[in-house]
Amino acid sequence: MAEDDDSYWNSSSAKGFSWDDSSDSVVLPSASISSSSSNTPATDLVTFDAGLSTSSQVADRVREATKLISAAAELPEPSISQLVGLKDVRKLEAELLTVRKNFAKLQQDRFQPSSATQTVQDMVLGRPFSLEGFRSLQDKEGLLDSALEWGDGEVVLAVAIMLKNTLKRSKFLAIMSSRQEAADQLISHMVVRLELREVVDLLVSLDRSHEAGVVAYKQAVNTNSLEIRSRNLKQTLVNNLKSHLDADLVVEQINLSERLAPVISGEVGQVDRQAGSLVGASVLKSLLYLSTHHYGAAENLLHSPLALRKMHRLTDKQFTW
């Protein structure tokens, strides 16, 4: 029995592959594992059979597909008449002629800007647009008028900025003075960007001195130093607030800043008094501080509550409170 098993495992019916062989299939051996004993049931046999029919069918299908692909590649390309039909050829030629005419027109007008109305419409709807074609003063005025007619603030602002950057200041101011809505959009934009000095100059040029004084005041008090604040307010009072309705209030703020500045400097070592809180303090709050820490000071001193009351003309009720 042992000799039979050795003979089985050492022998092989597999056929090696050869390029000279006309057959293009590889035959696998049929292998079986069985016992030499006749008592072994048939269900214990495990057999692996590789049929030749499957591989030959696949090879036939590949050959057939290759022939079909080769035949399709040799066919001529279909003409336009075959694709769209003979009855649509004239219509297709007419459409092609129209497309060529439109393309020639686009080539001719590629350096000419769109109309002002079309450009503004494209800006409102978020389409691509260009403002470079509006070069003359008349074209720019027409573009701004179209933007004002549409009433879109962002479009008006974009056109106003373009005018500001491309026109001489005299011509730009002439356009803005006759179109205050566009000027308002531009001024609001510049205030948000803290371009306050340019805003003041623009408002003064547009003969809007009251608004210019308000903006100049906002710029002057934008500091924590009372010395710098009082100096800025004096300059603003001379340049922009000379005939302003609130000029007297600005004078009182200058006097208060000049009084409190040396008081704060003299009490740097008094941490518990918190003299730094007087930088933005009102007259009544300053009076409360001076009455708390310098109640008995003589009237000729800067930190005297009586001197503060006299300068700002406080009533008895205000002083007592």
Side-chain angles (χ1 to χ4, degrees):
M1 181 180 299
E3 294 179 357
D4 293 340
D5 291 341
D6 294 340
S7 175
Y8 171 79
W9 290 110
N10 294 328
S11 63
S12 173
S13 61
K15 182 180 179 180
F17 177 78
S18 175
W19 292 100
D20 298 330
D21 194 354
S22 60
S23 176
D24 54 356
S25 61
V26 179
V27 180
L28 298 177
S30 59
S32 62
I33 302 175
S34 62
S35 172
S36 59
S37 174
S38 60
N39 296 330
T40 305
T43 56
D44 293 339
L45 296 178
V46 180
T47 305
F48 300 90
D49 293 330
L52 300 177
S53 60
T54 302
S55 59
S56 61
Q57 290 177 0
V58 172
D60 293 339
R61 291 179 182 178
V62 171
R63 292 192 188 96
E64 184 178 358
T66 304
K67 292 180 180 179
L68 293 176
I69 294 174
S70 300
E74 295 176 356
L75 293 176
E77 296 184 358
S79 61
I80 297 179
S81 60
Q82 293 177 345
L83 292 175
V84 301
L86 294 176
K87 60 181 180 180
D88 296 329
V89 173
R90 295 180 179 179
K91 182 179 179 180
L92 183 62
E93 291 179 351
E95 293 178 355
L96 181 60
L97 181 60
T98 303
V99 171
R100 287 177 177 175
K101 290 182 179 179
N102 293 335
F103 180 74
K105 187 177 183 302
L106 290 175
Q107 288 284 358
Q108 183 179 359
D109 299 340
R110 65 185 184 276
F111 297 116
Q112 297 181 2
S114 303
S115 63
T117 304
Q118 182 63 40
T119 302
V120 172
Q121 184 177 358
D122 293 338
M123 296 173 68
V124 172
L125 298 179
R127 299 172 181 170
F129 67 92
S130 176
L131 302 179
E132 296 181 358
F134 298 89
R135 298 184 180 276
S136 65
L137 179 62
Q138 184 178 0
D139 292 341
K140 294 178 181 180
E141 287 181 343
L143 181 62
L144 181 59
D145 292 336
S146 298
L148 291 173
E149 289 178 1
W150 277 81
D152 192 301
E154 294 184 357
V155 176
V156 173
L157 175 61
V159 176
I161 293 176
M162 187 267 288
L163 297 181
K164 178 176 176 292
N165 295 332
T166 57
L167 291 178
K168 293 183 178 180
R169 182 171 179 81
S170 58
K171 295 181 179 180
F172 169 72
L173 293 176
I175 295 177
M176 291 292 105
S177 60
S178 60
R179 298 166 178 84
Q180 293 294 330
E181 295 181 4
D184 292 339
Q185 291 289 339
L186 181 60
I187 290 171
S188 300
H189 172 73
M190 296 170 67
V191 169
V192 172
R193 295 175 61 87
L194 298 179
E195 300 174 357
L196 301 181
R197 188 179 300 276
E198 296 184 12
V199 172
V200 173
D201 295 339
L202 178 59
L203 289 172
V204 171
S205 301
L206 296 177
D207 197 17
R208 296 164 63 172
S209 57
H210 179 80
E211 299 176 50
V214 174
V215 177
Y217 173 82
K218 181 179 180 181
Q219 183 183 10
V221 299
N222 189 23
T223 177
N224 292 327
S225 175
L226 293 180
E227 293 86 352
I228 299 176
R229 180 182 300 179
S230 61
R231 185 167 59 251
N232 292 343
L233 288 175
K234 288 180 181 179
Q235 185 177 0
T236 303
L237 184 64
V238 173
N239 297 334
N240 307 108
L241 299 174
K242 186 179 298 184
S243 58
H244 200 274
L245 298 176
D246 299 328
D248 295 337
L249 297 178
V250 176
V251 173
E252 290 191 8
Q253 186 173 5
I254 293 174
N255 294 333
L256 180 62
S257 298
E258 291 179 346
R259 177 178 294 273
L260 294 179
V263 173
I264 296 175
S265 300
E267 298 190 359
V268 175
Q270 305 292 336
V271 182
D272 56 333
R273 295 185 179 182
Q274 296 181 353
S277 61
L278 296 175
V279 173
S282 62
V283 175
L284 293 180
K285 186 175 180 180
S286 301
L287 177 62
L288 176 61
Y289 179 88
L290 297 180
S291 300
T292 302
H293 303 289
H294 306 283
Y295 182 76
E299 189 175 346
N300 60 338
L301 299 177
L302 292 175
H303 55 270
S304 171
L306 296 176
L308 181 66
R309 174 190 178 183
K310 183 177 180 180
M311 173 174 288
H312 295 280
R313 298 181 297 276
L314 300 179
T315 61
D316 295 338
K317 185 177 181 180
Q318 290 175 325
F319 184 77
T320 304
W321 180 84

